[in-house]
Amino acid sequence: MMRPDSSLFSRRADSISRADALGALALRLVTYLAMGFLFFPILITLMVSVNPQEFILPPSGFTLEWFRQAWTSDTFVRAMGVSLWLGVAATLIANALAFMVVLAMVRYDFRGKALLNLLIMSPLLIPTTIFSLALYVFFARLGFGSGIPALVIGHSIHVLPFAVRILTASMQNFDLSLEEAARNVGAGPVRTMVSITLPVIKTGLVSSLVLYFVLSWNDFPISVFLAPAGWTPLPVELFSYIKFQYDAVGAALASSLILISIVVMVVIDRLSGLRRVLR
């Protein structure tokens, strides 16, 4: 009886391990190239925003003059006020809707539950520009087209899937025996919700509120389709500015939005973890 050639198996194992190593190296290289492609424009924007000589690179020094001009411009300050009001309104509406939806989906089984979840997550499956255009056509058929109500509703729908994801992660880890204990000592549904449920999931609530606000604050497609004349959010105002003004003020304002978003991501990661939010 012939014995298998151990050297043949060894050579095959070596070739497989080399192929795996080459595959891992290629995947890592592609990942680094993709990250560089995504982050290089951000790096250029940050460099331009602190360069005294505007768009001449590499930077010849460091200045915050462009940031000062951006944050003291009447046009941008007014647009910031619009975005602030819009972000707060959309955040509160989306958070309230998401909380009620998550309570129903986590605690109860009902017909159409999977369809409801798919419907809520559908804005994540559709390109934002197409989604924004569809909202504009829908509201136009209702007779009021672009306007403040349409804009607030559009932003609320846009951030709702993220709201549902974060609150679902918080509610799935909630111990229902805490509510049962509260009801056993005479607490009603509202008292139980305010005294037990909300304090326990407050980390998820705070994380979701901050994330919704930043998503609404930075949103451009929905705002450009639904914002009424004279009520322009900051991203749309910034886009209009950089189309006609060739200076570093726009880069400074864009850098401010980038830095604010980074700070928010760090805060959310410290509060509840980005993996729980994004999974």
Side-chain angles (χ1 to χ4, degrees), residues 37 105 145 161 198 259-260:
F37 177 78
M105 295 184 65
L198 294 181
L259 294 175
I260 291 173

Side-chain angles (χ1 to χ4, degrees), residues 191-205:
R191 180 69 180 275
T192 301
M193 181 69 65
V194 174
S195 302
I196 303 298
T197 308
L198 294 181
V200 171
I201 65 171
K202 64 181 179 181
T203 299
L205 285 173

